Amino acid sequence: GDSVTQMEGPVTLSEEAFLTINCTYTATGYPSLFWYVQYPGEGLQLLLKATKADDKGSNKGFEATYRKETTSFHLEKGSVQVSDSAVYFCALISGSARQLTFGSGTQLTVLP
Amino acid sequence: EAGVAQSPRYKIIEKRQSVAFWCNPISGHATLYWYQQILGQGPKLLIQFQNNGVVDDSQLPKDRFSAERLKGVDSTLKIQPAKLEDSAVYLCASSNGVGVNTEAFFGQGTRLTVV
């Protein structure tokens, strides 16, 4: 079945540091890939998505590129802010499924 | 546009008691999902509705969990009787379709503690 493997957390960075959160997946067919973010006390929000190979999703300075050859969708940001502190979830929807399959989440804390 | 509404936000019950959660999806969204998020894990789908019909309930523990979506709008998720391992955040989400390009919108969740 479909599965998503995320980099173990927690991750602690200083403000303006470079962020990478690794995500790899296993899926049938050609899935769409997503990053969701959960800020403290709030629900999950879609951060960015990519629907086909080599697509790059971007939002709020975050980027992720759909790499079919390595089955990866790593999240990156060049300069993190304190306000980026949250839990980040990688997820997919495959062609055979009708709902999201999530990774286990990565807790990010950015210190001033 | 109003988001997905869930209530209550928090609930503490003793094991073997029953509990119910309520969800009101975004207006016009035909698809509704209930997810269970155990601490330190990603959300896991419990049940998916399309209008008022069940699309997927393969991971719903049917001996104790039940869900309904009357009139294709609001939904309730019930646990009876609750076990300690049911302690989790229960997330409701909705979308206006299904498939690889569909965006799901999530509520804030209900945090259940079973003692």
Side-chain angles (χ1 to χ4, degrees):
Chain A
D2 299 342
S3 67
V4 177
T5 302
Q6 269 185 252
M7 167 179 174
E8 292 277 333
V11 174
T12 302
L13 296 173
S14 298
E15 204 164 26
E16 299 184 2
F18 184 85
L19 168 71
T20 299
I21 301 178
N22 290 337
C23 171
T24 58
Y25 66 89
T26 302
T28 54
Y30 300 95
S32 288
L33 303 174
F34 305 80
W35 277 100
Y36 277 81
V37 59
Q38 190 171 35
Y39 297 105
E42 299 185 16
L44 285 163
Q45 302 173 26
L46 179 64
L47 180 60
L48 54 85
K49 69 177 184 181
T51 58
K52 61 183 187 295
D54 300 324
D55 266 3
K56 178 184 285 188
S58 61
N59 187 25
K60 299 182 180 180
F62 290 89
E63 293 183 338
T65 301
Y66 188 141
R67 300 290 187 198
K68 186 170 182 293
E69 63 276 13
T70 54
T71 61
S72 64
F73 193 55
H74 304 322
L75 183 68
E76 297 182 336
K77 186 174 186 182
S79 176
V80 292
Q81 305 301 311
V82 172
S83 57
D84 294 326
S85 298
V87 182
Y88 292 82
F89 292 91
C90 187
L92 66 82
I93 297 177
S94 70
S96 61
R98 303 186 188 195
Q99 67 275 138
L100 290 159
T101 297
F102 286 90
S104 57
T106 302
Q107 171 79 54
L108 170 67
T109 302
V110 181
L111 302 176
Chain B
E1 154 179 284
V4 176
Q6 290 189 246
S7 67
R9 287 293 310 278
Y10 306 92
K11 190 73 177 179
I12 300 174
I13 62 172
E14 295 183 350
K15 59 184 179 184
R16 291 188 290 274
Q17 286 187 324
S18 62
V19 64
F21 313 128
W22 174 82
C23 173
N24 180 237
I26 292 174
S27 177
H29 280 192
T31 307
L32 185 146
Y33 314 79
W34 283 101
Y35 283 85
Q36 180 192 55
Q37 185 179 8
I38 293 173
L39 185 65
Q41 300 181 18
K44 182 188 80 172
L45 182 75
L46 292 175
I47 188 167
Q48 178 184 351
F49 293 94
Q50 182 76 15
N51 295 308
N52 61 349
V54 175
V55 172
D56 185 348
D57 63 357
S58 57
Q59 299 190 78
L60 186 73
K62 297 181 186 63
D63 57 333
R64 297 184 301 105
F65 285 65
S66 64
E68 60 181 8
R69 190 182 184 198
L70 300 176
K71 300 180 182 178
V73 182
D74 293 5
S75 178
T76 56
L77 176 69
K78 297 179 181 178
I79 308 175
Q80 181 178 13
K83 294 184 175 181
L84 295 176
E85 58 261 36
D86 298 332
S87 294
V89 176
Y90 290 85
L91 297 168
C92 180
S94 70
S95 67
N96 61 4
V98 294
V100 294
N101 290 315
T102 301
E103 179 178 350
F105 295 83
F106 286 80
Q108 291 183 294
T110 297
R111 182 177 298 277
L112 173 67
T113 302
V114 182
V115 298

